Amino acid sequence: MIVDYKYNMILRLYVKHVNYRESLYDNGDYWGLDQKARKDKGMSQVQLAEGICTQATISSIENQNTCSSVDILVNLCQKLDLKITDVAKNTRYGDKVFSYIEDDMRNHLYADANRQIGRIDCKKLNTRYMLGKYHCYRGFIELYINDDIDEAIFNFNLQLTQYSADEFTFYQAWSNLGIGLAYQKLGKLDRAEGFIDSSAKILAKVKKAGKHDMIVIVDLYVDIIAAYAELGKYDRALPLIHEILHELTEQDLIYKVDVLAELESKCLYAKGQVVQATMKQFAAMFIAELRGNTELAEKILKRNQSHIVEMVKNELAKSEGHPTFVK
């Protein structure tokens, strides 16, 4: 019964996440990939489609101006040396393409995000909101791919000062965190802490407003908590962990519960609470197994707690072959 309950929780989370992604990537957008770009390259429809899609898909894009997959369109643009903004005709293009980039950013796949964002001409982004998102993404790419801290802070500040559409937005929280992480890299820890504090305060208001999906909010909270832990601000990190775990429990979600439990264990170890910390590590391992997060589960089992696992195995081996009673 317990296993069935946990399985159902995972299934509900999976369906929720898939539905969320589908709502971002719905079909029906219009694209202007005409025959001229292909013919200028001396390609037939079959040659252009090779390794990407079917010839029928190319025909549909050229004749009906429709493409249901941004991935296909990005790959075609790369093959034709076009920017995706050169072929986008729908004003919702930014939302659709940026949703892919944002997924990569939230999962710290900055190299993948960089490849996608390199196909965008920011001059064709026609709203402050989309420009703000662009500069937020660009800030993290400068920070983690190009290792250009000044350029990263410049882009984050552009988002905060020129392209922020509302008083409190998710991207303001994200950009404040980005500046905090940049100052952390510079060793300016007081400044880093101040911006991370601002990020946490803004995100709390965003969460309360209920305009953003909880999964997206949890991802940013995880990064904020990890930043506090890196700064040794465990008394800031722990209440946030407990708050988010409570919210997830209320919504019957186990998304990132394993990651949060491991972060909690790190804070507890740092505070000298070894027994509690170790229990949290094993809780994180079991939940990671349930979520399919094998990387975290194996890290805990084979590295972090391997000595305890061996101790338990050795102790249990003494009773091997003898009847054992469990109350």
Side-chain angles (χ1 to χ4, degrees), residues 28-92:
D29 289 279
Y30 292 86
W31 310 91
L33 188 62
D34 58 27
Q35 297 178 21
K36 184 177 183 303
R38 170 174 59 78
K39 290 180 177 178
D40 284 348
K41 289 284 186 181
M43 292 184 188
S44 67
Q45 288 187 343
V46 172
Q47 289 171 322
L48 178 57
E50 186 177 357
I52 299 174
C53 59
T54 64
Q55 181 270 330
T57 300
I58 300 297
S59 178
S60 176
I61 294 170
E62 290 184 349
N63 297 316
Q64 299 176 36
N65 289 330
T66 61
C67 181
S68 61
S69 168
V70 175
D71 278 342
I72 289 174
L73 198 70
V74 167
N75 288 330
L76 292 174
C77 285
Q78 288 175 342
K79 205 165 185 176
L80 294 170
D81 294 324
L82 297 172
K83 288 186 179 292
I84 199 165
T85 31
D86 294 332
V87 302
K89 290 185 176 179
N90 192 320
T91 55
R92 288 185 61 251

Side-chain angles (χ1 to χ4, degrees), residues 198-216:
S198 295
S199 177
K201 289 173 184 175
I202 294 169
L203 190 57
K205 292 178 180 178
V206 172
K207 177 165 69 73
K208 186 176 180 181
K211 294 180 181 179
H212 257 74
D213 189 272
M214 186 61 182
I215 288 172
V216 176

Side-chain angles (χ1 to χ4, degrees), residues 160-279:
L160 291 169
T161 59
Q162 295 188 35
Y163 299 120
S164 189
D166 300 311
E167 187 178 356
F168 296 112
T169 70
F170 178 83
Y171 300 97
Q172 280 182 310
W174 210 354
S175 291
N176 270 283
L177 175 62
I179 295 176
L181 294 172
Y183 279 126
Q184 188 176 1
K185 267 194 165 189
L186 289 172
K188 297 180 178 180
L189 304 186
D190 287 341
R191 286 190 185 182
E193 184 182 346
F195 280 100
I196 294 166
D197 285 344
S198 295
S199 177
K201 289 173 184 175
I202 294 169
L203 190 57
K205 292 178 180 178
V206 172
K207 177 165 69 73
K208 186 176 180 181
K211 294 180 181 179
H212 257 74
D213 189 272
M214 186 61 182
I215 288 172
V216 176
I217 287 173
V218 168
D219 281 334
L220 187 50
Y221 266 120
V222 166
D223 288 345
I224 290 170
I225 291 162
Y228 275 138
E230 284 290 317
L231 290 174
K233 303 299 178 182
Y234 310 114
D235 291 332
R236 302 270 184 90
L238 286 168
L240 281 181
I241 292 170
H242 299 154
E243 177 187 332
I244 301 308
L245 286 173
H246 175 74
E247 295 262 359
L248 289 168
T249 302
E250 289 289 306
Q251 297 187 35
D252 278 347
L253 296 175
I254 59 169
Y255 182 70
K256 294 277 177 91
V257 170
D258 48 345
V259 178
L260 288 163
E262 198 213 8
L263 282 168
E264 185 175 4
S265 74
K266 289 179 178 178
C267 294
L268 292 171
Y269 274 126
K271 289 168 69 70
Q273 299 175 28
V274 176
V275 174
Q276 270 188 284
T278 303
M279 296 300 290

